[in-house]
Amino acid sequence: MNFKPFEQIQGRLQTSKTDSDLSYFFDLLLFGEAITKVVNLFLVACINEDNERTKYRQEYDLVRANAIGDFARSIDEIITGPPAQLLTSSIREFELKELVQRSSGEDWQYQAQSLLDQTLEVFKIERNTLPLKSPFRTWFGTFTHLRNKTKGHGATTIGPCSDACPLLEQSINLIINHFSGFKRPWAYLHRNYSGKYRITPISDDARQFNYLKSETVHSLENGIYVFLDKPRKVNLFYSNAELTDFFLTNGNLKGDSFESISYLSDTRVIQKATDYFQPITKLPSSHTEGTNELDVIGNCFTNLPEPTDEYVKRPVLEQELEKVLTDIERFPIITLLGKGGIGKTSLALHVIKPITNTNRFDLIVWFSARDIDLLIDGPKQVQTKVLNQKDIANDYCNLVYPSKEIKNKLEFFSQELSKNSFGKALYVFDNFETITNPIEVFEWINTYIRHPNKVLITSRISRNFKADYPIEVGGMNDSECRALIDLVGTKLSINNLLDSDYIDELITESDGHPYIIKILLGEVSKTGKTSRVQRIVAEQEKILNALFKRTFSTLSPAAKRVFLTLSSWNSTVPVVAVEAVLWRPENEKIDVQGAIEELRKSSFIDIINDEKEALINVPLAASIFGKSELEVFPEKIKIFDDRALLMEFGASNQSNISVGLSAKIERKFSAVAKRIRSIEDFRKELPTLEYIASKFPDSYWFIVEIFEEYGEYESAKYFLREYLKATNDNNVKSDLWQKLADVCRFTKDWEGESHALSELILIPKVGFEHISEASNRINNFFRYHPEAKSDEHKQALLDKVIQAMKIRISEGSATDYSRLGWLMINNDQEEEALAIIERGLLLDSTNYHCQRLHEKLMFRY
């Protein structure tokens, strides 16, 4: 078995085994906790998405878990409760069978349970008798019982541990060596700037992920994945591309964050919980969902929802859509494309409603995949009705044939697309982008649809599928905006507050976006006064996320880069300026023109055609959203460099030699990264790149990333140190020393890691959490390399680290005091260590680490 998270923990076990049986037993319990959580999160990743949000419900509970028993119960619920029906078929003959099948005798599953049962017997813990046949899933509940009765609530002594440790170790080894989930391909995926992926294997064989090294069309988040029927992201399981440590959710949700824990280093890392705030109770239905029964409207059977009252006619779009919908011979698939809240659904409803009075269609069926309603008081989460082909077919059959038993509904509806039993049919798919796999569903529809039937799709995106007739829905024109403002203003009784200047500002700053206009007018109604449009929009974070977040996540790396560069500067930018900064002429792999067109189709930017040149404008709402995304974008430093270049280009309306050189920096590095085929090719380019980096130090990141991609970590470390020499920004230095420490740890360069961590600690005003974590890692270094204590250089390093931590220890917790105590012990300052530990116990008398260290020191004295 070569599963890196467990390999790391086994290394810790070897150390604790030589310490004491009590320490070894407690570390075995930690190992069991890690196994329970990994199995749980693996099973959650195996749940297919459904409109009941079953997978989300499990994750929602796990970020709020307060004990290991919550994870054991989640395992049981997934494999024996309703979620079991949604598990991917890839695990049914392997992991699922191993967990639920009743085992006996020589089966490894039964032996693991038997050894755990014997462990309980050693401690005289009451338990149910192990039956002759028992499913492996019960191991996790039994382990929880053992953990709670010993470490959790019991006063465990060293005596029974001597007999219990071999039994528990054998039980754990049987699981990690035989459970199929740990033999699957696991890897950490990191998306490179080129759009390709850096793949770091976590298990023995990760070759199934190799296609991601060469293909650039995939949009997978960075993180830990297991390959089953496809790469499945294992949420709430964290690491980095170097696999320096692994963190599993530890629950304890507080405010907007929860805790994750490393079972190797005991480090806790706080994770953002914003993705897990939506309630798990059944959500309301969307007001545009469509009715649950067919009704007769005009000459049609239909389930059309009621159109909204606040609709302003858009004659050009209405005429175009009506023309293609009523065309009998052409355009079987029509798409309405545009940003969220732009009016696609309202347009479709107001055009289709009059068509019901004609003889064009006999049946009109409305399918809704909407998950958010954009209301005037803000976006509201709603229950999604259809997510995939199965949902669509079921919805159709239940609606059109409620009393008829149809065995294969998917096949039946596929035939209905080609020849509908009612006659001429129009199928409307609203909010198509929220379908689980839009490309797959589109290809299915495209395969079966036949004249005279038609399909109308409303969607924010269409980059990966091509309709017969796409219609782009943009912002309203001036007269349409004024009509909407008058309509909403009358409804809210605020027309007396709206002067001509404010109305002009509203139209300009909203870029004719009807939903943004409604939101801004709603704010006027709430406050009883008009305010600056930009300030109001900037305060509407939920609305901006609802309008842009989902589409932004699907953009290609090049499009994200261009958009964030444009968003960082409030200015209309010539297209030629963007090309000058971002193009790589040596080997153009990042297609800037393609990225600009992708952004235009996704409604993130507008292209303004001038007589002399094309200009790019980022609407206000999109720009503010981009700025918020830029705050957490990993390559923010590069974006700010680009912004500086763009500002110079725009301010002078011409470039000079300096600007021309600067504009080629990013272009050169990216081009080299995509053109080279080996590390030897890259080394030929290195002298030129080193010279550029000496003038523009941020470019060292490019060199480091390329060396990492080829596994040349010694060179990566060298250029990280060169970057550190060149920068005076302490925030940047903090990130660089942390990065260098991680790379050193990955390459088992313990001396380099300890040096990097000590330098990190000595940076002025560095966060105390960095000091604490670095101290913990330095202690771990001495734990695994006790011979280093005789090294004079290491002693000098310890002196500096101890001094830095002593100065700021008042900011720390009892655990931090224990870490300072260990530093002192490693520096032969045991009396001072005892005093520090006693101060830590005054802070928290129950702190396990302080108690353990205090006992160790008292034993010596």
Side-chain angles (χ1 to χ4, degrees):
M1 191 279 299
N2 180 24
F3 188 64
K4 284 188 170 54
F6 295 164
E7 277 190 340
Q8 292 182 353
I9 298 174
Q10 285 176 319
R12 171 177 175 157
L13 284 173
Q14 293 306 311
T15 302
S16 62
K17 186 183 288 189
T18 61
D19 189 0
S20 72
D21 287 335
L22 183 61
S23 296
Y24 186 41
F25 177 71
F26 280 153
D27 278 353
L28 283 170
L29 290 179
L30 292 175
F31 200 176
E33 287 186 27
I35 291 171
T36 301
K37 290 183 179 182
V38 173
V39 171
N40 189 188
L41 297 179
F42 168 79
L43 290 172
V44 173
C46 293
I47 299 174
N48 292 319
E49 298 287 355
D50 69 321
N51 56 11
E52 296 294 329
R53 301 179 301 148
T54 303
K55 181 178 178 181
Y56 172 78
R57 288 168 183 262
Q58 294 295 326
E59 293 172 347
Y60 177 95
D61 288 337
L62 292 179
V63 300
R64 292 162 173 79
N66 291 314
I68 192 64
D70 295 328
F71 294 88
R73 281 189 291 273
S74 176
I75 291 173
D76 217 42
E77 181 182 344
I78 291 171
I79 60 180
T80 63
Q85 303 302 315
L86 296 168
L87 290 171
T88 173
S89 59
S90 302
I91 70 165
R92 293 194 179 277
E93 292 301 315
F94 302 96
E95 290 87 350
L96 186 59
K97 188 175 182 180
E98 291 168 357
L99 286 162
V100 301
Q101 191 174 60
R102 297 176 68 196
S103 57
S104 62
E106 298 302 316
D107 296 330
W108 68 264
Q109 299 98 315
Y110 192 84
Q111 291 179 30
Q113 294 177 75
S114 177
L115 288 163
L116 186 59
D117 184 71
Q118 293 173 51
T119 307
L120 288 161
E121 173 62 29
V122 168
F123 290 101
K124 306 301 181 186
I125 297 172
E126 292 186 9
R127 71 222 182 265
N128 294 327
T129 302
L130 181 67
L132 295 177
K133 289 189 175 183
S134 176
F136 172 49
R137 64 182 175 82
T138 64
W139 187 94
F140 303 98
T142 306
F143 171 79
T144 299
H145 186 52
L146 170 66
R147 189 263 182 204
N148 290 342
K149 289 294 183 180
T150 52
K151 183 178 180 181
H153 306 294
T156 307
T157 58
I158 198 167
C161 291
S162 302
D163 296 326
C165 285
L167 298 170
L168 184 55
E169 180 184 26
Q170 290 177 60
S171 180
I172 287 173
N173 285 337
L174 281 169
I175 297 170
I176 64 176
N177 290 325
H178 291 90
F179 183 60
S180 296
F182 304 141
K183 299 177 183 178
R184 299 279 189 177
W186 290 69
Y188 186 93
L189 302 185
H190 173 81
R191 198 175 195 188
N192 297 317
Y193 179 65
S194 63
K196 301 172 187 177
Y197 285 84
R198 176 184 173 191
I199 299 166
T200 309
I202 293 175
S203 59
D204 280 326
D205 186 5
R207 286 175 296 178
Q208 285 88 336
F209 293 100
N210 282 352
Y211 69 96
L212 296 170
K213 293 181 179 179
S214 57
E215 298 178 8
T216 59
V217 297
H218 306 281
S219 297
L220 301 174
E221 296 179 61
N222 292 352
I224 294 174
Y225 285 78
V226 58
F227 199 102
L228 297 166
D229 51 336
K230 60 184 178 181
R232 288 180 175 260
K233 188 169 186 290
V234 185
N235 291 329
L236 308 179
F237 193 7
Y238 308 96
S239 188
N240 54 33
E242 287 78 30
L243 305 183
T244 51
D245 208 342
F246 291 89
F247 296 87
L248 290 153
T249 177
N250 205 38
N252 298 317
L253 178 70
K254 293 179 181 177
D256 64 348
S257 58
F258 64 95
E259 185 179 272
S260 63
I261 184 173
S262 163
Y263 286 97
L264 170 67
S265 62
D266 288 333
T267 302
R268 264 83 167 169
V269 174
I270 300 302
Q271 309 289 349
K272 285 293 183 183
T274 49
D275 290 337
Y276 302 101
F277 283 164
Q278 290 296 336
I280 57 175
T281 51
K282 186 175 177 63
L283 296 169
S285 298
S286 170
H287 67 280
T288 63
E289 183 179 284
T291 61
N292 292 323
E293 295 180 353
L294 284 180
D295 196 2
V296 177
I297 301 179
N299 299 321
C300 288
F301 289 101
T302 183
N303 69 325
L304 283 174
E306 285 296 320
T308 58
D309 295 331
E310 297 155 5
Y311 180 75
V312 171
K313 286 188 173 296
R314 309 179 72 174
V316 175
L317 288 171
E318 290 174 8
Q319 291 169 15
E320 184 178 13
L321 180 57
E322 181 184 7
K323 181 180 178 181
V324 293
L325 280 176
T326 55
D327 190 304
I328 298 177
E329 299 297 332
R330 299 177 298 167
F331 316 127
I333 300 180
I334 303 155
T335 53
L336 290 177
L337 305 171
K339 64 187 73 171
I342 204 68
K344 303 180 295 293
T345 301
S346 298
L347 174 65
L349 285 171
H350 280 83
V351 171
I352 293 171
K353 191 71 178 287
I355 293 177
T356 61
N357 294 316
T358 70
N359 294 319
R360 176 60 183 91
F361 297 109
D362 301 299
L363 176 68
I364 299 177
V365 180
W366 184 278
F367 299 99
S368 176
R370 186 180 293 270
D371 62 348
I372 294 176
D373 274 349
L374 299 177
L375 306 178
I376 196 167
D377 55 345
K380 303 294 182 182
Q381 197 84 12
V382 295
Q383 187 78 17
T384 303
K385 195 167 188 183
V386 297
L387 279 174
N388 49 47
Q389 292 109 308
K390 183 180 178 182
D391 290 344
I392 293 168
N394 287 340
D395 193 36
Y396 177 82
C397 293
N398 294 336
L399 177 71
V400 181
Y401 298 98
S403 59
K404 182 177 180 179
E405 184 177 344
I406 301 171
K407 290 185 177 180
N408 192 330
K409 294 180 180 180
L410 184 60
E411 182 178 342
F412 179 81
F413 180 65
S414 299
Q415 300 307 315
E416 291 282 283
L417 284 169
S418 301
K419 185 176 181 180
N420 191 276
S421 50
F422 270 71
K424 303 183 291 292
L426 171 64
Y427 305 98
V428 185
F429 297 90
D430 189 35
N431 273 63
F432 197 72
E433 74 277 0
T434 58
I435 295 285
T436 301
N437 192 333
I439 301 173
E440 179 182 316
V441 176
F442 181 86
E443 289 302 323
W444 168 60
I445 292 170
N446 190 40
T447 299
Y448 286 99
I449 192 67
R450 296 290 186 276
H451 288 303
N453 301 331
K454 278 187 182 286
V455 168
L456 174 63
I457 290 172
T458 73
S459 180
R460 300 186 187 188
I461 57 173
S462 68
R463 293 187 300 278
N464 296 318
F465 55 84
K466 186 177 177 67
D468 301 291
Y469 197 100
I471 299 175
E472 291 191 23
V473 182
M476 290 178 161
N477 60 33
D478 187 82
S479 62
E480 292 166 352
C481 286
R482 292 181 187 278
L484 179 63
I485 292 169
D486 182 66
L487 179 65
V488 178
T490 300
K491 182 178 179 179
L492 298 177
S493 302
I494 58 170
N495 279 338
N496 61 307
L497 300 175
L498 309 176
D499 58 31
S500 59
D501 290 341
Y502 184 76
I503 291 174
D504 289 342
E505 182 188 2
L506 196 57
I507 294 171
T508 301
E509 297 290 4
S510 68
D511 202 43
H513 194 298
Y515 182 61
I516 293 176
I517 290 174
K518 292 177 184 179
I519 289 293
L520 294 171
L521 292 175
E523 286 297 313
V524 174
S525 177
K526 290 178 187 176
T527 61
K529 62 180 181 179
T530 58
S531 302
R532 284 191 66 233
V533 170
Q534 184 170 353
R535 181 186 64 78
I536 296 173
V537 174
E539 293 173 352
Q540 306 294 327
E541 181 181 358
K542 286 186 178 179
I543 293 170
L544 294 175
N545 284 335
L547 294 178
F548 301 109
K549 186 75 172 181
R550 182 185 296 122
T551 313
F552 178 79
S553 66
T554 66
L555 293 176
S556 67
K560 286 182 180 178
R561 178 68 185 277
V562 172
F563 173 66
L564 294 179
T565 302
L566 293 168
S567 299
S568 68
W569 183 30
N570 296 327
S571 176
T572 299
V573 183
V575 170
V576 66
V578 180
E579 294 171 349
V581 171
L582 295 173
W583 260 359
R584 278 63 171 160
E586 295 90 346
N587 187 18
E588 188 179 312
K589 289 286 181 71
I590 292 183
D591 182 2
V592 178
Q593 290 180 334
I596 291 172
E597 179 63 12
E598 181 181 347
L599 290 170
R600 186 191 68 80
K601 287 184 175 180
S602 300
S603 303
F604 277 103
I605 63 173
D606 298 321
I607 304 295
I608 304 170
N609 291 319
D610 188 85
E611 291 182 0
K612 296 182 179 180
E613 61 181 2
L615 302 172
I616 300 175
N617 175 60
V618 183
L620 174 64
S623 177
I624 294 173
F625 169 79
K627 286 181 175 64
S628 67
E629 287 295 318
L630 184 57
E631 286 301 311
V632 295
F633 192 65
E635 298 177 346
K636 181 167 67 171
I637 295 174
K638 302 174 192 176
I639 295 290
F640 286 155
D641 288 344
D642 292 342
R643 181 182 68 176
L645 298 175
L646 285 174
M647 290 175 72
E648 289 183 5
F649 192 96
S652 62
N653 203 24
Q654 61 181 359
S655 59
N656 52 42
I657 294 175
S658 173
V659 172
L661 177 61
S662 299
K664 293 179 181 179
I665 293 174
E666 186 176 322
R667 172 183 181 180
K668 175 67 175 176
F669 277 93
S670 182
V672 170
K674 294 165 189 172
R675 176 167 28 86
I676 59 176
R677 294 291 178 268
S678 67
I679 193 63
E680 289 74 21
D681 291 345
F682 178 61
R683 290 192 184 281
K684 293 175 184 177
E685 301 282 344
L686 197 53
T688 301
L689 303 182
E690 281 189 74
Y691 176 79
I692 295 174
S694 70
K695 302 297 182 183
F696 302 92
D698 292 337
S699 301
Y700 280 116
W701 270 123
F702 290 94
I703 298 175
V704 170
E705 287 176 357
I706 293 171
F707 274 122
E708 282 189 307
E709 191 169 349
Y710 281 96
E712 293 284 324
Y713 294 105
E714 292 304 316
S715 296
K717 288 188 282 187
Y718 172 81
F719 283 103
L720 281 168
R721 293 184 175 107
E722 291 299 300
Y723 194 176
L724 282 159
K725 294 177 188 176
T727 183
N728 294 317
D729 188 323
N730 284 336
N731 291 328
V732 175
K733 283 189 172 183
S734 175
D735 292 339
L736 289 172
W737 283 119
Q738 184 69 59
K739 174 70 173 176
L740 180 59
D742 288 343
V743 176
C744 288
R745 185 172 186 174
F746 182 70
T747 57
K748 295 183 170 50
D749 176 5
W750 310 116
E751 183 170 341
E753 180 188 4
S754 60
H755 172 252
L757 292 172
S758 66
E759 293 294 339
L760 172 64
I761 288 174
L762 297 174
I763 293 175
K765 297 182 180 180
V766 70
F768 184 78
E769 67 276 8
H770 291 302
I771 295 177
S772 178
E773 182 181 351
S775 299
N776 188 42
R777 286 170 66 169
I778 290 171
N779 281 326
N780 284 333
F781 166 74
F782 281 101
R783 181 181 184 184
Y784 293 112
H785 300 83
E787 71 281 357
K789 293 181 181 180
S790 60
D791 187 326
E792 291 184 4
H793 172 70
K794 290 293 185 297
Q795 292 300 314
L797 179 151
L798 272 174
D799 287 336
K800 291 194 295 183
V801 173
I802 290 171
Q803 183 62 28
M805 196 165 185
K806 282 173 67 177
I807 292 172
R808 308 235 342 237
I809 191 61
S810 61
E811 300 174 37
S813 65
T815 298
D816 297 317
Y817 277 85
S818 75
R819 291 173 176 176
L820 176 56
W822 274 114
L823 287 173
M824 291 174 169
I825 290 174
N826 289 322
N827 203 33
D828 295 324
Q829 298 173 251
E830 295 190 355
E831 289 187 13
E832 290 185 53
L834 181 59
I836 283 292
I837 293 305
E838 288 175 347
R839 286 172 61 188
L841 288 170
L842 288 175
L843 278 181
D844 182 2
S845 61
T846 65
N847 184 271
Y848 168 74
H849 302 288
C850 285
Q851 287 179 340
R852 181 177 172 185
L853 189 52
H854 187 265
E855 180 182 341
K856 182 183 185 76
L857 290 169
M858 292 302 293
F859 179 79
R860 293 184 182 181
Y861 289 99

